[in-house]
Amino acid sequence: MSTVNSLAYYFSSRNRHKKWKYFIEQFNPGPEDSALDVGFSEREFSNTTNYIEKHYQYPHRLTALGVDEPDTICKRYPEVSFRSYDGTTFPFEDKTFDLLWSNAVIEHVGDYESQLAFLKEVNRVSRNFFITTPNLNFPVEVHTRTPFLHYLGKERFDQYLRKRGKHWATGDYMHLLNRKTIEQLCVDAGIANHVIRPNRLFGFILEYWIYTPRSGASA
C-alpha cells in the first residue's frame, strides 16, 4: 500500500471514530431505541466500512438499508436486520426509527433533486437523524484523493477523472456539497430544526455533519 493510501486510511479511521463518538454523545442511544443505517455496503473495503454495524451497542435494534443485495453481510452481523431498496423511496412507514445514521451517502445519490428526495426520506422515516458528507471546498477531493482540481466544476473534473482512468468517480457517483447547498436542501426539505456542524482537519473543513438535535442534547 502506498504512503498516500496508508495516510488516507489512517485519517479515515480516526475521523469515523470522531463522528461516531459525537453521534453517541448527542443521541445517547438506549436498548429501547430503533435505529436505521442508510448506506450499508455488502463488500467491506476497510475496517471503517459498515462502521455502525461494527460498533452499535444494540445490534438487535439496528436495521441497515442499502442498494446492495445483502448476502455475506448478514453472516458478518447476524443480529442486524438488512433491507435492500431501489435508491428512491425508503421501504418504511413514517417515523419508524428513533435514530438514523448515514455516513457519506447523500453525495452519491444523484443531482440536487435526488439529494433533496433522499433528505426528505431521511427526515420522514426517523425522529432524529445524523448524516455526514464531504465538503466540496476541502482542498483534496477525498474519494479520488485529487487536490484542487474539483474546484474547476463537476463537468471539467469528470473530464479529468476519465482521462486518469477513474471513470467510476464520474457522473452521478459523486455530487459534492458545500454549506450553502446543504442549507438550501434542508430548507427545501422543510427541516427547520437542523444543525450543520463543520468537522475540520488541519484547520480546513473536511466535511459537514447534519443532524436534528435530540431533546435534551446540546448542539
Side-chain angles (χ1 to χ4, degrees), residues 2-176:
S2 70
T3 301
V4 171
N5 284 339
S6 296
L7 286 172
Y9 282 121
Y10 170 75
F11 285 114
S12 175
S13 180
R14 284 188 59 185
N15 190 47
R16 294 287 175 100
H17 176 73
K18 178 181 179 181
K19 71 184 78 177
W20 178 250
K21 181 181 178 183
Y22 189 82
F23 171 79
I24 295 298
E25 290 173 349
Q26 283 294 310
F27 295 104
N28 189 28
E32 72 286 354
D33 289 321
S34 55
L36 177 66
D37 170 35
V38 180
F40 79 82
S41 177
E42 170 66 17
R43 181 183 174 189
E44 296 199 344
F45 298 92
S46 71
N47 61 3
T48 63
T49 307
N50 298 322
Y51 201 89
I52 188 170
E53 285 77 13
K54 289 181 172 68
H55 297 279
Y56 196 62
Q57 189 174 357
Y58 310 103
H60 63 287
R61 297 289 288 156
L62 176 63
T63 299
L65 179 67
V67 295
D68 294 341
E69 190 64 34
D71 182 16
T72 58
I73 195 171
C74 299
K75 300 179 180 67
R76 291 195 295 271
Y77 309 103
E79 293 185 80
V80 178
S81 298
F82 290 92
R83 295 282 299 273
S84 62
Y85 82 124
D86 64 1
T88 56
T89 304
F90 294 2
F92 308 109
E93 299 296 325
D94 295 359
K95 305 306 178 188
T96 297
F97 300 96
D98 297 298
L99 307 172
L100 183 150
W101 159 279
S102 184
N103 181 63
V105 173
I106 192 170
E107 71 272 17
H108 298 302
V109 302
D111 61 10
Y112 186 90
E113 292 304 317
S114 297
Q115 291 171 339
L116 178 59
F118 176 85
L119 188 57
K120 286 180 176 179
E121 285 297 282
V122 164
N123 191 49
R124 179 183 68 81
V125 304
S126 67
R127 293 181 174 84
N128 296 99
F129 65 79
F130 180 92
I131 67 176
T132 75
T133 191
N135 174 26
L136 168 63
N137 297 321
F138 188 68
V140 177
E141 196 292 297
V142 297
H143 300 88
T144 59
R145 296 163 193 167
T146 305
F148 305 117
L149 294 182
H150 56 298
Y151 291 165
L152 298 175
K154 179 166 177 57
E155 183 176 350
R156 294 177 68 184
F157 187 51
D158 277 5
Q159 290 174 356
Y160 164 81
L161 292 175
R162 291 188 185 98
K163 289 179 181 178
R164 298 291 295 177
K166 297 184 178 182
H167 296 74
W168 55 269
T170 63
D172 280 340
Y173 173 80
M174 181 169 58
H175 290 264
L176 297 173

